[in-house]
Amino acid sequence: MEKILFLIYVTVMNIIGLALMHSDKRRAKRHLWRISEKTLFLCSILGGSIGTWAGMYLFRHKTRHWYFVIGMPLILFLQIALFVLCQIK
């Protein structure tokens, strides 16, 4: 049951991350109020790193910012490492 809840949580967070990247890109094109970079990173840290990283390249958004290009894969790597370490116990 806990694994199912975990998978649901991670799936939802990744959908949110992808949606945030899409929304921010649309807002940027329309010169509207933007989603803060802190919010994008927070979503990634809270489990949406695959979605935000995929959104970067799918929507060609934030790919010129080194802290996104390095930060998003780094967060994903750390999350995978943490997951693997927790499974070993």
Side-chain angles (χ1 to χ4, degrees):
M1 182 66 172
E2 292 160 356
K3 289 183 181 182
I4 293 171
L5 290 176
F6 175 75
L7 287 174
I8 291 170
Y9 172 78
V10 170
T11 302
V12 168
M13 288 307 295
N14 281 292
I15 291 169
I16 291 171
L18 188 68
L20 285 173
M21 281 297 199
H22 180 258
S23 177
D24 194 47
K25 177 66 177 194
R26 284 182 42 219
R27 291 167 186 251
K29 285 182 176 179
R30 296 176 182 174
H31 304 286
L32 298 174
W33 173 83
R34 304 281 302 280
I35 296 169
S36 74
E37 292 178 348
K38 288 179 184 180
T39 301
L40 298 173
F41 271 104
L42 181 62
C43 179
S44 184
I45 290 168
L46 292 177
S49 56
I50 294 171
T52 53
W53 192 29
M56 281 175 55
Y57 293 99
L58 184 63
F59 306 119
R60 294 188 178 114
H61 190 53
K62 301 286 188 189
T63 55
R64 293 185 181 186
H65 300 278
W66 67 268
Y67 42 92
F68 274 88
V69 173
I70 294 170
M72 292 300 168
L74 180 62
I75 291 169
L76 176 58
F77 173 77
L78 292 173
Q79 288 173 339
I80 291 170
L82 181 63
F83 178 76
V84 169
L85 287 173
C86 289
Q87 295 300 313
I88 291 175
K89 291 183 179 181

